[in-house]
Amino acid sequence: MVRVRVQVPATTANLGPGFDCLSLALGLYNEVTIESVEGGLEVVVEGTGSPSIPKDERNMVYRAARLVMARLGVSVGGFKIRVLCRIPPARGLGSSATAIVGGMLAANVLYGQELTRHEILELAGQLEPHPDNLAPALFGGFTVAVRTGDSVDCVCLKPPPGLRVAAAVPRYELSTDDARAVLPATVSHADAVFNVGRTALLVAGMAADKDKLFKAAMKDRLHHPYRAVLVPGLEEVLDAATEAGALGACLSGAGPTVVALCRENEQTIAEAMCRAFRENRIEADPLVLDVDRSGATLVEETGESDASG
Ligand code: HSE
């Protein structure tokens, strides 16, 4: 029997103005365990949001693992999959990406580690078209990931030391499809210029460890104005974060979670954001997280990996 267990971090995509490309990995982890067995498929899911996760061939960990096996030309009898969910699903914290990355990484370890992490990122594009949650889930830290034709260009930067994230996590789910459906087909030249400048500023601020740039650099005009209809109180929550001392704040991924970059008073900032949500009749929970700097990690490997299948 061969068993592989990996942990995969939560992620906040669309960081500030970096729609579909800039992200941070966060210190909250889902765990994925895959065991190769004689035959059939068994999926056990525990933790937050587990009842809504498919336990059959539609399971994302299973589909991701099968894609890796197909790429490696491996066939196998069966799988036992165990998923431990700590990341609330459909909140804009990258829980789907953890299933894809976890399934692919675990299968790659099971069958001989032939794929590089970058090859896994490329392959994962078959299950998730936007690389912005996948890249930090795989590599950790602050990532710039852009689909360029058939491939993904990805650079990982070390975030400034001591940077932490305060979050307000609303108690409702928002699907990425619904959040993409409210986006316009075109935007004004002025809004495009606004985002290009701030995206450059945010990358430069991260690379050069210049905190004071983040307040301006975290602003966005490409998705916040449109997604605000799905996230009541969004503007007030962003203002509450900076008024409470955050360096800058933005919607996390497709929402509804809002994240704030901080150096101190993280709990106070997270609670101020939740209060602003509550004033807009949205219940939300505070969360304070470190930035993850390692990405997905192998935590257990039992038995010998089987490269021959
Ligand atoms: N960039 C994506 C979106 C996030 O905002 O729709 C989920 O991949």
Side-chain angles (χ1 to χ4, degrees):
M1 178 208 59
V2 186
R3 185 171 65 226
V4 172
R5 181 156 57 99
V6 296
Q7 67 170 26
V8 190
T11 47
T12 180
N14 298 334
L15 195 68
F19 185 71
D20 274 358
C21 62
L22 299 186
S23 323
L24 266 183
L26 304 173
L28 177 68
Y29 303 88
N30 282 352
E31 281 186 10
V32 170
T33 307
I34 299 185
E35 226 172 90
S36 63
V37 294
E38 281 297 300
L41 171 66
E42 184 188 348
V43 180
V44 178
V45 186
E46 296 166 304
T48 179
S50 52
S52 60
I53 294 174
K55 318 285 185 304
D56 54 19
E57 279 81 3
R58 293 168 302 159
N59 181 272
M60 198 50 99
V61 172
Y62 176 73
R63 291 175 60 199
R66 296 299 307 206
L67 261 186
V68 166
M69 290 167 63
R71 167 62 64 88
L72 298 178
V74 172
S75 60
V76 74
F79 272 142
K80 183 169 178 186
I81 292 172
R82 181 178 287 273
V83 184
L84 174 58
C85 302
R86 299 191 187 98
I87 304 165
R91 305 298 209 291
L93 289 169
S95 68
S96 312
T98 68
I100 298 172
V101 167
M104 288 195 160
L105 201 63
N108 192 44
V109 173
L110 268 180
Y111 301 112
Q113 306 240 42
E114 284 183 32
L115 300 179
T116 64
R117 289 201 178 210
H118 195 83
E119 286 169 331
I120 290 176
L121 178 63
E122 301 268 3
L123 194 58
Q126 292 185 27
L127 295 172
E128 163 59 63
H130 319 114
D132 48 347
N133 286 113
L134 298 168
L138 266 165
F139 298 107
F142 174 60
T143 54
V144 182
V146 177
R147 178 158 294 287
T148 47
D150 286 340
S151 60
V152 178
D153 285 327
C154 173
V155 175
C156 312
L157 296 173
K158 282 195 182 130
L163 194 68
R164 299 190 84 200
V165 172
V169 187
R171 291 182 195 163
Y172 67 91
E173 298 190 354
L174 178 55
S175 83
T176 301
D177 286 348
D178 289 348
R180 284 193 95 85
V182 298
L183 300 178
T186 59
V187 296
S188 72
H189 189 267
D191 286 350
V193 170
F194 180 96
N195 267 60
V196 168
R198 278 156 184 80
T199 301
L201 210 53
L202 183 56
V203 175
M206 285 283 185
D209 194 0
K210 289 211 180 321
D211 283 7
K212 63 176 188 300
L213 296 179
F214 292 161
K215 189 171 176 189
M218 288 285 282
K219 303 269 188 222
D220 163 81
R221 285 194 191 162
L222 294 187
H223 76 125
H224 283 74
Y226 311 103
R227 288 177 165 169
V229 294
L230 303 171
V231 186
L234 175 59
E235 274 307 314
E236 291 94 322
V237 176
L238 295 171
D239 288 346
T242 46
E243 279 160 23
L247 302 169
C250 66
L251 196 60
S252 183
T257 295
V258 176
V259 289
L261 302 181
C262 312
R263 285 231 182 257
E264 54 190 6
N265 301 327
E266 299 88 351
Q267 189 65 33
T268 310
I269 292 165
E271 282 165 12
M273 292 157 77
C274 290
R275 235 180 352 264
F277 262 130
R278 207 164 303 121
E279 282 159 14
N280 286 275
R281 299 200 185 118
I282 299 294
E283 285 304 316
D285 298 304
L287 199 57
V288 173
L289 299 168
D290 288 322
V291 173
D292 168 272
R293 289 158 196 271
S294 310
T297 317
L298 176 65
V299 287
E300 183 191 355
E301 186 179 3
T302 311
E304 279 184 24
S305 66
D306 183 359
S308 65

